[in-house]
Amino acid sequence: MAAVHPGLWHPAVLAKFIITADHISGGRAAVNVVSGWFKDEFTGLGEPWLEHDERYRRSEEFIRVLRGLWTEKDFTHRGDFYRIHDFTLQPGPVDVPGRPHPEIFQGGNSTAARRNGGTVSDWYFSNGKDFDGFTEQYLEVNQNAALAGREGQVRFGLNGFVVARDSEDEAHAVLEEIIEKANPDAVEGFRQAVKQAGSSTGDGKGMWSDSTTRDLVQYNDGFRTGLIGTPEQIATRIVEYKKLGVDLFLLGFLHYPRGHRLLRREGAAPRPRARGRRDPRRRLAPSR
């Protein structure tokens, strides 16, 4: 999966890159379209810095062009940000049953992000959230999908950081140790860099708008998902999130082998699969 910023990439160039990766990987390529919050990256590279909702409007058009190039011949698009004239990509993506094109992920917390998630994206990818926070986003994105005639077509991913130990007290002690040993200058630097992301939205729902310093130690709010405790407790919480509509977890671990081993022992994580083409409908929660 490649994370890309519209404005720094042209969608047709990216479409060609992803097709190449799709053939190399046997139909496993995907893209995460990131509208962008880091102003200095754009201005430092000589690119215009658009207002928040305009960045999401550009991302919507970017996704429409990607999908059109992957699914249509002689594709034409005349928009505010991109122009495509009778363009065909050959070869196209790998023909994977049940997958019309490489999957398109899109994150964000704002109202504009939720609109895009329902209107054009295959996946809506959220920072860490508790049950209520995820449910709020889930309902709004699905409402937008229904209005766009895409009811039931959007799936949901959630970020989470796992601390699995033999007892709940031990797991929470490890969490406090992680926070205590974080580099305060690095965390503060990140907080300063992202503080405009939420405040730049009209309704204050943007990324990190309500994140505390503790939350930002895991930069995508992974602690807020609450996957801290015994393997049994974490497995139960994951099942509850699945019931609420989470289709995919992006999980981080302090010590991946130990954490994954504990979860596997309790049946909360799948065993590694052999390399090769996978059924795209079967999802393995990744880690980083």
Side-chain angles (χ1 to χ4, degrees):
M1 183 187 296
V4 298
H5 290 78
L8 302 181
W9 280 83
H10 190 285
V13 175
L14 175 68
K16 295 171 72 173
F17 269 70
I18 297 299
I19 285 175
T20 299
D22 206 43
H23 282 266
I24 291 172
S25 64
R28 295 176 60 193
V31 61
N32 182 24
V33 176
V34 184
S35 295
W37 53 265
F38 189 20
K39 179 179 179 180
D40 290 351
E41 184 173 35
F42 281 79
T43 58
L45 294 173
E47 295 295 326
W49 180 244
L50 303 181
E51 181 273 332
H52 178 275
D53 284 9
E54 281 293 279
R55 297 199 299 275
Y56 276 92
R57 198 164 70 85
R58 177 174 60 187
S59 292
E60 178 184 353
E61 198 171 304
F62 188 94
I63 291 172
R64 290 186 186 279
V65 172
L66 272 183
R67 181 173 283 118
L69 289 170
W70 284 336
T71 60
E72 299 179 27
K73 294 182 178 179
D74 302 320
F75 177 70
T76 294
H77 177 87
R78 297 180 179 90
D80 293 335
F81 300 97
Y82 304 106
R83 307 284 194 277
I84 309 294
H85 306 289
D86 299 325
F87 197 73
T88 300
L89 288 178
Q90 291 291 346
V94 175
D95 184 10
V96 177
R99 188 201 75 161
H101 53 73
E103 291 177 319
I104 300 171
F105 288 70
Q106 174 249 308
N109 286 350
S110 67
T111 298
R114 300 176 194 195
R115 183 188 63 243
N116 276 12
T119 302
V120 294
S121 303
D122 300 317
W123 288 85
Y124 181 82
F125 209 6
S126 175
N127 272 9
K129 293 287 182 184
D130 60 17
F131 292 146
D132 290 341
F134 171 77
T135 298
E136 178 198 1
Q137 291 187 328
Y138 177 85
L139 293 175
E140 187 171 340
V141 170
N142 274 320
Q143 182 181 38
N144 290 329
L147 291 173
R150 305 181 68 237
E151 189 170 2
Q153 294 184 34
V154 183
R155 287 173 286 180
F156 291 82
L158 182 66
N159 184 61
F161 192 88
V162 174
V163 180
R165 293 296 184 271
D166 291 329
S167 72
E168 183 177 3
D169 288 344
E170 183 185 1
H172 281 278
V174 171
L175 172 62
E176 294 305 316
E177 183 182 10
I178 293 171
I179 294 170
E180 180 183 348
K181 290 184 177 180
N183 183 322
D185 292 336
V187 175
E188 176 61 19
F190 183 66
R191 189 182 71 83
Q192 291 295 329
V194 304
K195 67 180 182 180
Q196 57 78 33
S199 61
S200 66
T201 62
D203 54 11
K205 289 185 179 179
M207 298 275 278
W208 303 288
S209 60
D210 59 350
S211 300
T212 67
T213 298
R214 287 173 60 92
D215 296 329
L216 295 176
V217 171
Q218 205 288 325
Y219 57 92
N220 277 336
D221 290 340
F223 300 150
R224 299 180 75 172
T225 307
L227 304 180
I228 314 294
T230 67
E232 295 89 344
Q233 290 172 324
I234 293 169
T236 298
R237 192 165 178 86
I238 287 174
V239 169
E240 292 304 310
Y241 273 113
K242 295 282 284 185
K243 291 177 181 177
L244 293 175
V246 177
D247 299 289
L248 170 70
F249 290 90
L250 178 65
L251 301 180
F253 295 82
L254 179 62
H255 300 295
Y256 175 80
R258 179 182 181 184
H260 191 269
R261 185 169 59 249
L262 282 170
L263 289 182
R264 262 182 50 188
R265 186 188 71 195
E266 302 303 329
R271 294 183 179 276
R273 290 168 58 84
R275 291 183 178 273
R277 184 176 298 182
R278 299 187 301 169
D279 182 342
R281 295 164 294 184
R282 187 178 191 278
R283 296 283 160 191
L284 171 66
S287 66
R288 64 180 176 190

